[in-house]
Amino acid sequence: METRTLNYGVAMPALGFGVFQTPPDETRNAVGAALDSGYRLIDTAAAYGNERQVGEAVQASGIGRSQVFLETKIWISDYGYDQTLHTFEKSARKLGVDQIDLLLLHQALPSAFDRTLEAYRALETLLADGKVRAIGVSNFMVEHLTMLLDRCKVVPAVNQIEVHPYFAQREVQEFAGARGILTQAWSPIGRITFYRDGSNGSTLDDPVIGAIAQAHGKSPAQVMLRWGLQEGRSVIPKSTKADRIAENIDVFDFELAAEEISAIDRLDTGRRGGPDPSAITLEAFGRDIPEA
Ligand code: NDP
């Protein structure tokens, strides 16, 4: 498996497995199938409600703890220095581990950015104490990264954002890249479950992606993942189906040509599928994250 070296030297598998909206009772099987297929990075979040099942699947797999890179995210309701330190304990206990490989702030809280900064300061403490191996953020736009970088001691290792052929967020990617922050793409095959009206269309049915897939004897999903990897990102596709789980990691035996990459780049519509990161508030999105 190809790896990405994070800004402080930690190696992370380039391709991982996502479990957003995977129901807890399906998570154990899904993660088990992913581990069987060779995935060694699992991305979950306190807000997904399935950290416990992710941990159970890793333990049941018999694969050594050091061989699996576990990534989770702190929800906005748990921001604040002391609260965030405590939230690490909640997530670590649910995952059944002493150390988390990569811990992210799930969202910026633009209307209460001091709280976001306090939460990040807690991540820095957890890093210094060896409770986490790397720290980062998610859904941070350039203005949020700028405010954070002004005040933090440790540059985030990762910014996990929506990136797929229809929404590439080049400005955020370039800003982060110039500062050593790795972009990790969520919804890397564009199946954003936030699209409620389908008006953005489906990347899986896109004719340009379809033609490239056909030329390589691969599926559209595999082409999109390959595009993300060749552009240097980390990608974390999600599936609950064993055949798709295996398909999505079978992307290391072909190479897209430069003109194929450019053709996919040109599909960017500039239209976001997920929630606007600038509009995240505790009032609208806050929710209780249960104790372990
Ligand atoms: P993806 O782009 O990974 O698409 C997942 C969807 O596509 C599911 O509906 C899945 O269905 C389907 N699918 C998976 N593989 C294939 C395939 N090969 N062919 C056809 N359909 C396929 O989107 P996600 O939104 O799930 O994002 C991936 C991960 O990113 C999440 O699971 C989560 O870990 C993370 N994420 C983070 C966010 C954040 O705010 N930080 C927000 C959203 C996601 P099925 O399961 O039925 O196979």
Side-chain angles (χ1 to χ4, degrees), residues 55-265:
E56 285 170 3
V58 173
Q59 274 152 32
S61 73
I63 299 167
R65 170 69 191 91
S66 64
Q67 302 304 304
V68 183
F69 192 97
L70 285 177
E71 174 175 351
T72 192
K73 317 182 194 79
I74 293 175
W75 190 240
I76 52 173
S77 312
D78 280 334
Y79 285 5
Y81 186 74
D82 291 331
Q83 224 170 319
T84 300
L85 287 180
H86 176 65
T87 292
F88 162 82
E89 300 295 339
K90 285 200 267 190
S91 286
R93 268 190 224 133
K94 287 177 192 167
L95 287 164
V97 298
D98 298 324
Q99 188 190 49
I100 290 171
D101 296 290
L102 175 60
L103 187 58
L104 308 181
L105 298 187
H106 205 142
Q107 301 275 353
L109 257 185
S111 58
F113 205 76
D114 281 351
R115 241 171 128 149
T116 311
L117 291 170
E118 285 299 285
Y120 194 81
R121 198 162 63 81
L123 296 195
E124 292 176 328
T125 299
L126 291 165
L127 182 69
D129 292 348
K131 302 263 176 119
V132 299
R133 295 175 64 222
I135 60 176
V137 294
S138 174
N139 298 306
F140 271 46
M141 301 293 98
V142 168
E143 67 266 31
H144 310 133
L145 288 172
T146 304
M147 289 192 287
L148 177 66
L149 290 168
D150 267 1
R151 303 266 296 274
C152 69
K153 291 196 189 115
V154 178
V155 174
V158 165
N159 186 24
Q160 185 186 110
I161 55 172
E162 178 183 344
V163 179
H164 47 81
Y166 287 175
F167 190 57
Q169 307 215 67
R170 293 283 164 205
E171 191 197 353
V172 188
Q173 289 201 55
E174 276 159 27
F175 184 90
R179 286 151 185 86
I181 303 167
L182 175 72
T183 295
Q184 186 173 55
W186 64 252
S187 285
I189 59 171
R191 295 288 294 161
I192 300 104
T193 33
F194 296 109
Y195 281 143
R196 294 209 174 81
D197 59 4
S199 64
N200 283 40
S202 168
T203 46
L204 285 171
D205 299 330
D206 187 279
V208 171
I209 296 170
I212 295 171
Q214 212 171 7
H216 288 275
K218 288 285 181 178
S219 70
Q222 290 171 320
V223 165
M224 287 186 263
L225 294 168
R226 190 70 220 162
W227 167 74
L229 291 169
Q230 282 186 228
E231 290 197 342
R233 289 182 291 279
S234 166
V235 292
I236 46 168
K238 171 261 173 188
S239 178
T240 50
K241 318 246 174 348
D243 55 341
R244 288 175 172 175
I245 291 171
E247 175 186 328
N248 293 344
I249 197 176
D250 181 19
V251 295
F252 295 100
D253 61 351
F254 74 113
E255 186 98 13
L256 298 176
E259 57 272 22
E260 293 173 324
I261 303 256
S262 313
I264 300 174
D265 287 345

